[in-house]
Amino acid sequence: MSSSTRPPASALHCPTTGSVPARPGFIVPPYLLARLAEADAHGMPRAAEAARRSLLADPALRVERERAAVATPAAPASVWAAATPTVRRTIFDAGNAESLPGRPVRDETDAPADDVAVNEAFEGLGATYALLLEAFGRDSVDGAGLPLLATVHYGRDYDNAFWDGERMVFGDGDGEVFGRFTASLSVIGHELAHGVTQYTAGLVYEGQSGALNESFSDVLGALVEQHQRGQRAEEASWLIGEGLFTEAVQGRALRSMSEPGTAYDDDVLGKDPQPADMAGYVDTRDDNGGVHLNSGIPNRAFALAATELGGFAWERAGRVWYDALVGAPGAPAPVSPRATFAEFAAATVTAAHARFGAESTEASAIDRAWRTVGVRSDDDPR
Ligand SMILES: [Zn+2]
């Protein structure tokens, strides 16, 4: 694993500046947009054009986000923190321009809008806030009541959604391959989880720590969806980005946590390239060292542990992953910003011991899951 190598500055989708690795953000990884940019060969000129423009626009956005997000304070007692945790959402409309934040169109005092994207963003922020508070006792992304902001209708045919360090931003999609990005609750939860990671462990968005950053966002995205639906682990789809693809695409979602590598297999998009265990680990300089690829490995460890334990995934496996990320009473905390898969796995096992006991079914299921995906081995203590 080459965590210190940096993607070439010449690559279209990579940040062009210096020493700070790119910050997390985009739900659609660069390799998928690169495939999509060839979609005109498959009779999808609008999707191809949209993907090419997204690839060109993204480096500038990434640089902006780095500036915004480099120094994130530990959650302060903020001026807006209320005695009773309360969600505070504001949705903006960019009107298909690429300037942020756009025009405010809905906040907590307003009735639902006539615009489905506005309402989906509003409800999605609320569902994420509800999971964080009800499952983990966390008051918003920063733990101190941070208002939740989102902009919809960003750009024209824009094929992505991202967290810019301050807000969520959603494109409408090109209409040929991708529909609107507010349609998937797991995407909304995924993006806001990048904010949680930013305020806690600060996992560096590169190599294995970057894949862990991506994976934690998928974990939280899946949990937000399951929590909102009242779904148990064994009933869940474990898909990230279900509902984003149009019917023209041979695929279920962007990623599958339970079966990485099987989310899509399509003429235009190719086959889902995620590995399901360490034997398939991808060494690459692209995609910040494969952050959206190798995240399949810890994703599957989570899905395996949660499914074996059964019940609501946020109560046990989810609680342990959260404890490992933020640090919790009795558990060593938070994992280091450059944590490897093995270090994060060890942190979850320790956190499971602290919360549920060393002999607990939770601790053994989590340990077993990491062994199944090849991150832990016989050399590791149980
Ligand atoms: Zn992400």
Side-chain angles (χ1 to χ4, degrees), residues 206-257:
E206 184 180 53
Q208 289 200 4
S209 58
L212 288 167
N213 188 322
E214 264 307 301
S215 176
F216 184 76
S217 273
D218 280 352
V219 165
L220 211 71
L223 293 181
V224 168
E225 204 164 85
Q226 291 169 27
H227 184 255
Q228 195 264 348
R229 295 173 178 176
Q231 258 178 351
R232 307 169 78 81
E234 54 274 30
E235 300 161 343
S237 71
W238 296 102
L239 295 172
I240 301 298
E242 199 177 6
L244 291 189
F245 289 141
T246 66
E247 298 203 335
V249 176
Q250 297 295 311
R252 299 176 288 163
L254 286 175
R255 291 186 282 279
S256 166
M257 296 182 68

Side-chain angles (χ1 to χ4, degrees), residues 59-100:
L61 278 169
R62 288 189 185 233
V63 173
E64 271 309 300
R65 275 205 321 283
E66 281 172 31
R67 281 201 205 100
V70 160
T72 302
S78 52
V79 288
W80 54 75
T84 307
T86 310
V87 65
R88 291 171 173 73
R89 293 163 285 187
T90 307
I91 310 300
F92 299 80
D93 185 342
N96 296 118
E98 292 191 8
S99 57
L100 293 172

Side-chain angles (χ1 to χ4, degrees):
M1 210 286 301
S2 52
S3 67
S4 63
T5 53
R6 216 165 294 291
S10 58
L12 209 50
H13 53 265
C14 292
T16 50
T17 54
S19 58
V20 183
R23 294 275 155 172
F26 298 95
I27 191 75
V28 179
Y31 54 79
L32 205 53
L33 287 174
R35 292 286 307 222
L36 202 51
E38 313 284 313
D40 34 11
H42 299 269
M44 294 177 164
R46 196 171 159 191
E49 171 63 18
R52 283 194 288 267
R53 274 189 284 111
S54 292
L55 282 164
L56 283 170
D58 290 351
L61 278 169
R62 288 189 185 233
V63 173
E64 271 309 300
R65 275 205 321 283
E66 281 172 31
R67 281 201 205 100
V70 160
T72 302
S78 52
V79 288
W80 54 75
T84 307
T86 310
V87 65
R88 291 171 173 73
R89 293 163 285 187
T90 307
I91 310 300
F92 299 80
D93 185 342
N96 296 118
E98 292 191 8
S99 57
L100 293 172
R103 179 174 59 93
V105 287
R106 184 175 175 193
D107 69 17
E108 297 296 338
T109 64
D110 295 318
D114 290 332
D115 181 334
V116 64
V118 169
N119 297 331
E120 283 172 342
F122 188 84
E123 296 303 326
L125 296 182
T128 306
Y129 183 90
L131 171 80
L132 289 173
L133 186 65
E134 290 163 23
F136 308 134
R138 184 176 187 84
D139 182 11
S140 193
V141 161
D142 67 343
L146 185 75
L148 298 177
L149 310 176
T151 294
V152 298
H153 303 309
Y154 176 81
R156 195 163 297 280
D157 292 347
Y158 186 72
D159 271 337
N160 232 325
F162 60 91
W163 163 257
D164 79 345
E166 287 176 40
R167 69 182 63 247
M168 283 221 52
V169 182
F170 300 93
D172 292 330
D174 60 72
E176 288 178 339
V177 170
F178 283 107
R180 64 178 189 280
F181 281 79
T182 49
S184 168
L185 183 53
S186 59
V187 166
I188 299 177
H190 174 107
E191 295 299 336
L192 286 174
H194 281 310
V196 175
T197 300
Q198 173 188 325
Y199 278 95
T200 55
L203 290 165
V204 176
Y205 202 62
E206 184 180 53
Q208 289 200 4
S209 58
L212 288 167
N213 188 322
E214 264 307 301
S215 176
F216 184 76
S217 273
D218 280 352
V219 165
L220 211 71
L223 293 181
V224 168
E225 204 164 85
Q226 291 169 27
H227 184 255
Q228 195 264 348
R229 295 173 178 176
Q231 258 178 351
R232 307 169 78 81
E234 54 274 30
E235 300 161 343
S237 71
W238 296 102
L239 295 172
I240 301 298
E242 199 177 6
L244 291 189
F245 289 141
T246 66
E247 298 203 335
V249 176
Q250 297 295 311
R252 299 176 288 163
L254 286 175
R255 291 186 282 279
S256 166
M257 296 182 68
S258 55
E259 299 172 295
T262 69
Y264 56 87
D265 190 352
D266 179 78
D267 286 349
V268 175
L269 298 177
K271 187 180 184 308
D272 176 3
Q274 279 206 314
D277 56 36
M278 287 303 281
Y281 188 89
V282 182
D283 262 309
T284 176
R285 291 157 66 93
D286 291 339
D287 185 28
N288 286 58
V291 295
H292 293 91
L293 295 169
N294 294 317
S295 56
I297 298 166
N299 275 0
R300 180 160 166 250
F302 183 83
L304 282 168
T307 309
E308 180 178 337
L309 290 168
F312 295 129
W314 57 89
E315 291 181 347
R316 300 197 283 168
R319 180 77 230 191
V320 165
W321 254 244
Y322 178 82
D323 285 352
L325 187 89
V326 308
V335 290
S336 87
R338 292 271 183 188
T340 62
F341 285 3
E343 287 165 353
F344 187 80
T348 62
V349 171
T350 307
H353 288 181
R355 186 163 291 275
F356 296 105
E359 304 301 322
S360 62
T361 54
E362 287 83 357
S364 65
I366 288 166
D367 176 68
R368 195 155 42 245
W370 287 113
R371 289 171 196 273
T372 302
V373 301
V375 169
R376 280 167 81 75
S377 71
D378 291 343
D379 298 336
D380 295 305
R382 277 173 202 275

